[in-house]
Amino acid sequence: VQLQASGGGLVQAGGSLTLSCAGSRRTFSTYAAAWFRQAPGKDRQFIATLSSGGSTYYVDSVKGRFTISRDSAKNTVYLQMNSLKPEDTAVYYCAADRWGTGEWDLWGQGTLVTVSS
């Protein structure tokens, strides 16, 4: 399975973007999925996860602004980002846990989100 992330771009503060992570096989819809981001000069940071059962979890910095969701028919996981802030500027990565071990063993390429003030 390969993951393809897309949807990044330049947006003004307060704006919205939706990132997509498409899996190359239908089995992607059965995996736990997550979004991470890496800001310039910083470590990669976990921001949201969606379990195979549909449970979600967000870090405090994005809670209430970001929503992770899945369209199983399209083998795609989304990250809806609202009320964007300049500090949300980062390369965003999607990931999947194929085996249910808690290890993110599949990664998409990053997509850059730039939020201007």
Side-chain angles (χ1 to χ4, degrees):
V1 180
Q2 293 182 330
L3 304 183
Q4 179 75 35
S6 61
L10 174 63
V11 63
Q12 288 188 331
S16 298
L17 276 177
T18 298
L19 305 183
S20 300
C21 178
S24 60
R25 294 187 181 180
R26 189 175 297 276
T27 48
F28 176 52
S29 65
T30 66
Y31 303 155
W35 287 94
F36 292 72
R37 68 186 179 188
Q38 187 167 19
K42 295 188 177 181
D43 292 335
R44 189 175 298 186
Q45 173 196 24
F46 161 82
I47 56 173
T49 188
L50 174 65
S51 75
S52 57
S55 300
T56 58
Y57 175 82
Y58 304 91
V59 295
D60 286 347
S61 59
V62 307
K63 196 175 297 182
R65 299 188 299 123
F66 290 10
T67 302
I68 187 171
S69 63
R70 186 196 307 269
D71 185 333
S72 295
K74 295 183 178 179
N75 300 326
T76 301
V77 171
Y78 302 97
L79 185 69
Q80 172 70 42
M81 305 184 295
N82 299 325
S83 303
L84 283 162
K85 305 174 182 180
E87 52 264 43
D88 294 318
T89 294
V91 177
Y92 284 70
Y93 299 88
C94 60
D97 172 6
R98 287 182 289 181
W99 314 116
T101 62
E103 298 287 334
W104 303 107
D105 62 290
L106 279 177
W107 289 86
Q109 89 294 358
T111 185
L112 176 63
V113 173
T114 303
V115 184
S116 63
S117 57

